[in-house]
Amino acid sequence: MFPNEWQKSSFSSSSDNCVEVRTVDGIVEIRESDTGEIVVQTTAVKFAKFLQGIKAGEFDHHANLNA
């Protein structure tokens, strides 16, 4: 895989509705596959901190666990 190709989340299985990420010129880009024209950009450090927060459960209160 090349750095500028979109990488699908391993948690997405075979679904087309997934989070994708890539790196272009040192900037991390994130998008949802079903709305691919909307791209969020951030730095690698900020993205790593975000992933750490997800793993630590920092954002769990935003999830609807009953859905």
Side-chain angles (χ1 to χ4, degrees):
M1 172 171 284
F2 297 102
N4 61 350
E5 289 183 6
W6 289 105
Q7 180 180 352
K8 186 182 203 179
S9 169
S10 60
F11 290 98
S12 297
S13 64
S14 62
S15 173
D16 286 333
N17 298 327
C18 61
V19 174
E20 297 175 318
V21 65
R22 71 178 179 183
T23 304
V24 177
D25 296 328
I27 299 295
V28 177
E29 295 187 333
I30 308 156
R31 72 179 184 180
E32 230 180 296
S33 60
D34 60 342
T35 54
E37 68 278 0
I38 301 171
V39 176
V40 176
Q41 295 182 325
T42 190
T43 66
V45 171
K46 288 180 181 179
F47 185 61
K49 297 271 187 190
F50 178 66
L51 292 178
Q52 289 171 349
I54 290 171
K55 290 177 182 180
E58 186 177 332
F59 307 106
D60 288 355
H61 64 283
H62 293 290
N64 181 358
L65 301 178
N66 297 320

